[in-house]
Amino acid sequence: MSNAYQATLEWARAQDAADPLRAFRDEFLIPPHDGRASHYFCGNSLGLQPRAVREALTAELDDWGALAVEGHFKGRQPWLDYHEYVRDDLAELVGALPSEVVAMNTLGVNLHLMMVSFYRPTPDRHAILIEAGAFPTDRYAVESQIRFHGFSPTLSLIELEPDEPNGTLSMGAIERALAEHGERIALVLLPGVQYRTGQAFDLKAITGLAHRQGCTVGFDLAHAVGNLPLRLHDSGADFAVWCSYKYLNSGPGAVAGAFVHDRHARTEHLPRFAGWWGHDKQSRFRMGPEFVPTPGADGWQISNPPILSLAPLRVSLQIFHRAGMARLREKSLRLTGYLEWLVQTQLADVLESVTPRETERRGSQLSLRVLGGRERGRALFEYLMEHGVVGDWREPDVIRISPAPLYNRFEDCVGFAEAVRAWAHRPA
Ligand SMILES: *Cc1c(COP(=O)(O)O)cnc(C)c1O
């Protein structure tokens, strides 16, 4: 495969025709626009619906209708163990042992539950380190946890300011912050991929640095899971959380995920907020008064699993299993590389990417700053949306565009570039 990109539709179509993953696009519903498929670049916000989801949901509705309570045992996929059906594919996707992952709740809830166990502040060590400009939920969650333990965010929240020109963070800055404040940091909580800049972080390097300072480490993988190949077990992180409606295509409000490193699998002394589904599976239905946690991530479950939310996740993870994260990443590198090349060579008078250029420091998303300020940016964004090019807007002047290798094409990137050019050259 040649890396010499060309800006023409013919060239893009030839790439799509030669793409070994091209058949996966047909497994998704692509939202239409004016009688053709839209150029959908918003899979980092809400992934597209796999066609097979409808049938999977209908099967559960049918079992509910025909079997009611007996569906727990006699359904085609008995509901009792339903969360276990996604476990192997989920573990494969994030590079974990099957016992280290669980699908449950939603991202923000899982973040809180993980902090209940892994943010254990003491008078000497009570701070949480996050990046400045973190996603609101993450900041709110961290602040509220600090207050919950009777500490004050003024003293206990450390927000790492970007040290690179486009608002990204160098490893050097993380290293310096840990060297300077490490002794008072209880928890380091960073993203796998930062939602605003698209910067990807080196989870293993960060974990190594933080553990050397005695800090616990958690990652929010909302924008990393299904986007980058992950090796969570080897990273050594204590925990991680993610949602499933972005790159994982499991539908709005889909059931989220959590990772708890194997070294914590049997630490029964860790405080946790418990519920019956986290109880040891063998004796759960004796309904005894004493909580005995299931070893591993399953032990953090509270409620019985949401079948109608797990069914789409299951379909989606099977797609990832068949496509393979390594092959998806290979395509993603070329596709996002092409988009970046188009921006640099064809659109440099309109847009500039603030996402790191080094491919190991980004996933599929490019965050494109519109030159000339917010008003101009909003006008371009609205024009794109009206013309079937779907991205999203982040204040004050960034359009996020994320080609997802499961369903986006080189042709979509050309469609984006043509729409931007048409806007820039429109008659006044
Ligand atoms: C999308 C996203 C969330 C959303 O949390 P929900 O609990 O799923 O609503 C939180 N944090 C980050 C970093 C995100 O990207």
Side-chain angles (χ1 to χ4, degrees):
M1 272 194 288
S2 155
N3 267 325
Y5 294 130
Q6 294 176 27
T8 62
L9 191 55
E10 293 67 45
W11 184 87
R13 285 186 171 153
Q15 306 310 301
D16 291 327
D19 169 13
L21 298 177
R22 68 185 175 282
F24 283 97
R25 175 176 169 87
D26 297 334
E27 297 192 32
F28 291 86
L29 295 168
I30 314 288
H33 178 87
D34 270 355
R36 59 163 179 83
S38 60
H39 300 301
Y40 190 80
F41 291 108
C42 223
N44 57 341
S45 185
L46 186 75
L48 295 181
Q49 182 185 138
R51 290 178 189 272
V53 159
R54 184 174 294 268
E55 198 186 317
L57 277 174
T58 304
E60 300 313 330
L61 291 175
D62 288 348
D63 279 1
W64 180 19
L67 301 168
V69 71
E70 296 227 275
H72 284 111
F73 316 100
K74 296 188 178 162
R76 278 163 283 181
Q77 284 112 179
W79 299 329
L80 200 64
D81 300 320
Y82 205 98
H83 68 281
E84 297 181 9
Y85 308 156
V86 297
R87 179 185 287 151
D88 288 349
D89 286 339
L90 203 51
E92 176 182 279
L93 187 70
V94 300
L97 305 173
S99 59
E100 289 176 316
V101 295
V102 61
M104 60 180 187
N105 311 312
T106 51
L107 193 171
V109 170
N110 287 343
L111 185 54
H112 274 297
L113 292 179
M114 289 294 115
M115 283 197 279
V116 164
S117 296
F118 296 107
Y119 173 53
R120 306 297 308 149
T122 65
D124 295 331
R125 191 186 276 276
H126 49 81
I128 303 182
L129 178 76
I130 62 173
E131 88 277 23
F135 192 92
T137 277
D138 302 64
R139 198 180 184 287
Y140 304 155
V142 158
E143 252 206 48
S144 60
Q145 287 276 339
I146 289 171
R147 288 186 207 281
F148 176 74
H149 285 280
F151 292 90
S152 144
T154 321
L155 293 176
S156 302
L157 180 58
I158 305 176
E159 291 174 280
L160 202 45
E161 291 295 335
D163 64 324
E164 296 178 334
N166 282 325
T168 49
L169 264 172
S170 69
M171 268 309 285
I174 297 172
E175 197 166 354
R176 282 191 298 278
L178 283 165
E180 187 179 343
H181 306 291
E183 283 181 6
R184 65 186 180 96
I185 295 175
L187 172 66
V188 173
L189 179 70
L190 288 171
V193 173
Q194 219 280 346
Y195 82 101
R196 190 187 293 271
T197 63
Q199 177 184 2
F201 289 89
D202 183 338
L203 310 189
K204 187 172 185 171
I206 291 170
T207 304
L209 288 170
H211 277 175
R212 245 166 273 144
Q213 298 288 336
C215 320
T216 300
V217 182
F219 290 107
D220 184 332
L221 303 178
H223 282 265
V225 69
N227 179 10
L228 290 173
L230 296 166
R231 303 187 60 183
L232 278 185
H233 177 83
D234 292 345
S235 79
D238 295 282
F239 73 86
V241 291
W242 57 88
C243 54
S244 312
Y245 48 83
K246 294 174 179 167
Y247 292 99
L248 288 194
N249 308 315
S250 302
V255 63
F259 161 90
V260 179
H261 197 279
D262 190 48
R263 82 175 80 87
H264 302 299
R266 289 171 190 280
T267 37
E268 283 165 26
H269 65 275
L270 274 180
R272 72 179 95 191
F273 285 174
W276 73 322
W277 229 257
H279 190 284
D280 179 41
K281 193 179 157 183
Q282 307 313 321
S283 55
R284 180 190 297 144
F285 284 95
R286 281 190 217 133
M287 309 294 238
E290 189 202 345
F291 178 73
V292 181
T294 301
D298 271 14
W300 271 265
Q301 294 172 103
I302 294 177
S303 298
N304 74 96
I307 307 305
L308 299 181
S309 181
L310 280 165
L313 175 65
R314 190 171 177 210
V315 167
S316 175
L317 290 175
Q318 286 165 356
I319 296 175
F320 274 91
H321 172 72
R322 280 187 282 120
M325 207 52 231
R327 287 203 299 165
L328 286 168
R329 173 63 170 164
E330 196 180 318
K331 175 174 170 186
S332 170
L333 284 169
R334 286 200 79 225
L335 203 55
T336 296
Y338 182 50
L339 180 67
E340 184 184 54
W341 179 84
L342 287 170
V343 168
Q344 282 168 355
T345 59
Q346 318 285 310
L347 311 172
D349 53 337
V350 187
L351 296 167
E352 78 183 346
S353 171
V354 302
T355 303
R357 298 278 305 278
E358 308 92 319
T359 53
E360 69 281 6
R361 296 182 73 210
R362 70 175 187 215
S364 7
Q365 172 186 325
L366 292 185
S367 301
L368 302 172
R369 180 186 292 139
V370 187
L371 305 175
R374 183 177 185 282
E375 288 318 304
R376 198 167 133 81
R378 282 298 313 182
L380 170 58
F381 176 68
E382 272 151 32
Y383 179 92
L384 292 175
M385 296 296 284
E386 279 161 21
H387 289 78
V389 179
V390 185
D392 68 9
W393 173 256
R394 284 293 172 263
E395 296 291 347
D397 55 2
V398 164
I399 296 174
R400 299 189 309 175
I401 295 290
S402 187
L406 271 175
Y407 48 75
N408 279 120
R409 304 163 300 175
F410 287 82
E411 178 173 343
D412 292 318
C413 298
V414 172
F416 168 78
E418 282 178 351
V420 174
R421 262 204 309 271
W423 175 80
H425 298 142
R426 72 201 179 289

